[in-house]
Amino acid sequence: MTADTPASDASDRAERRGTTSRYDHDRSDLEALLTGLPAYRTNQLWQGLYSDLADPADITTLPVTLRSELADKLPAALHLDHRSVGDTGQTVKWLWRLADGSLIETVLMHYEDRSTVCVSSQAGCAMACGFCATGQMGFDRHLSTGEMVEQVVRAQREAGERRVSNVVFMGMGEPLANYDHTWAAVERIHGALGLSARHLTISTVGLIPGILRLAEEGLPVNLAVSLHAANDRLRDHLVPVNRRWPLAALAEACSHHAATTGRRLSFEWALMHDVNDTLRDAAELADYVGPLAAHVNLIPLNPTPDWPTRGSSPLRVREFAGELGNRGINATLRRTRGVDIDAACGQLRAERTSVDLGTPRREAPPRLPD
Ligand code: SAH
């Protein structure tokens, strides 16, 4: 391939779109990259990337010269900055450095019956939930589709025989604020990596336009909503986006999503001492969730640098869960994973650790979608 072949057009196009990962290319991009070669080469490349999870240089079905050309043209987006292992090997967290120096985190969690990867959708987050370490960082940028897919690929490589069965978009960022890239990643993870839609979960602070769009997609994925409060006064404070899309409208959108997709709806509730963990809070939550027939995931608040409130005591957690049960609400107490390596819910906060990365970029947060 030379500089003026259609192959370089393909990577130029990819670059113009701002893509940086080999997993940003769809099949037609790869076909264009291999113009002049038999069609089976595209299949071999696709299979190498998505079935064998191989680097182009290691796709041995391809001729050696082609492999080294592809290694140049199809770079990886994720460069390892730091890897930590917690929970006696059951939790792995990666800090990845991206081509532009942004840092993001990915977490792999092994359970008895499944292995789940928690994927970041943005570097930083603009939603400004004060108790969340990513919210405290502010927004850096959206991730591309490939940057999300590549996180799953890297986790799957690590998981090996244990195989990644579930993907949750619960890492850094707000996936529905980066809707197009996130949805394309969902489709690729489903279609090319072969995970079933019912094992994919998108978590949101409650961006209603995004929830309504999700309801129209052909592929029904699970929806999780980070609720944390069931009255607008408290939720306005904990999850600022509630001021734009308050609880009543959120319930309507959730109900529409559940009815249209048939997928399970769940609410996340981080239990904060004396803030949202009283029996009265449980009653309010039950009233909100009951008509939606949703599931509640409870998790004691994990500590984060800039938020003074602590997580609820085990006794409070039990009482809260008991009250929900008495009121007929299905609730699960989430086992906290990765606290020992700052990989637990709400603790993802990528810090620049290397001196040569320059000063952190801080851009104005994007406007919320209408
Ligand atoms: N922005 C999306 C995706 C991130 S998911 C969303 O908010 O849903 C991360 C989950 O961890 C959310 O449910 C979030 O509310 C929760 N979380 C944030 N900070 C937390 C903390 N300190 N302790 C426990 N959970 C937290």
Side-chain angles (χ1 to χ4, degrees), residues 125 127 129 131-133 169-175 203-205 224-226 228 268 270 299-304 334 345-347:
C125 185
M127 298 298 117
C129 303
F131 55 90
C132 174
F169 289 83
M170 294 187 179
M172 297 169 71
E174 167 53 44
S203 184
T204 178
V205 285
V225 175
S226 300
H228 310 310
E268 309 293 307
I299 178 161
L301 185 82
N302 288 306
T304 59
R334 270 220 241 144
C345 289
Q347 290 190 317

Side-chain angles (χ1 to χ4, degrees), residues 38-274:
Y40 66 81
R41 291 291 182 213
T42 307
N43 292 338
Q44 288 170 328
L45 176 55
W46 190 263
Q47 163 123 15
L49 291 176
Y50 288 97
S51 301
D52 307 332
L53 313 174
D55 285 321
D58 299 328
I59 302 177
T60 49
T61 47
L62 300 174
V64 176
T65 46
L66 182 58
R67 272 187 250 162
S68 64
E69 280 174 33
L70 291 174
D72 286 344
K73 292 193 184 296
L74 297 174
L78 308 181
H79 303 280
L80 184 64
D81 192 279
H82 192 71
R83 174 178 174 278
S84 12
V85 180
D87 300 320
T88 61
Q90 300 308 294
T91 303
V92 180
K93 180 178 85 167
W94 293 269
L95 174 64
W96 304 113
R97 188 168 22 82
L98 307 179
D100 65 351
S102 296
L103 292 170
I104 58 156
E105 297 186 332
T106 306
V107 183
L108 171 67
M109 291 159 288
H110 292 299
Y111 300 89
E112 222 160 78
D113 58 337
R114 66 190 191 283
S115 292
T116 299
V117 58
C118 181
V119 167
S120 292
S121 55
Q122 297 177 318
C125 185
M127 298 298 117
C129 303
F131 55 90
C132 174
T134 311
Q136 292 160 11
M137 288 173 61
F139 179 73
D140 191 348
R141 73 165 170 89
H142 293 308
L143 297 193
S144 73
T145 297
E147 286 168 335
M148 288 183 248
V149 174
E150 206 176 312
Q151 292 174 64
V152 180
V153 168
R154 296 298 290 263
Q156 174 54 45
R157 278 198 210 163
E158 167 92 26
E161 289 299 297
R162 295 181 77 171
R163 301 208 62 80
V164 166
S165 53
N166 296 59
V167 174
V168 294
F169 289 83
M170 294 187 179
M172 297 169 71
E174 167 53 44
L176 296 186
N178 183 15
Y179 190 97
D180 292 338
H181 293 172
T182 299
W183 189 255
V186 163
E187 289 187 322
R188 196 72 63 79
I189 290 164
H190 172 261
L193 291 175
L195 274 81
S196 88
R198 62 175 199 290
H199 289 161
L200 308 180
T201 301
I202 292 187
S203 184
T204 178
V205 285
L207 303 191
I208 290 180
I211 293 174
L212 298 179
R213 273 181 82 183
L214 274 185
E216 302 312 315
E217 301 287 0
L219 204 60
V221 299
N222 302 309
L223 176 66
V225 175
S226 300
L227 200 64
H228 310 310
N231 71 70
D232 282 319
R233 188 190 37 79
L234 180 58
R235 196 163 192 270
D236 281 354
H237 171 61
L238 295 178
V239 184
V241 81
N242 192 70
R243 296 171 202 159
R244 179 77 171 267
W245 290 294
L247 284 160
L250 179 60
E252 245 175 67
C254 289
S255 162
H256 175 72
H257 183 273
T260 318
T261 63
R263 299 293 357 152
R264 193 180 80 154
L265 173 65
S266 58
F267 289 108
E268 309 293 307
W269 191 277
L271 283 156
M272 308 177 201
H273 180 74
D274 274 351

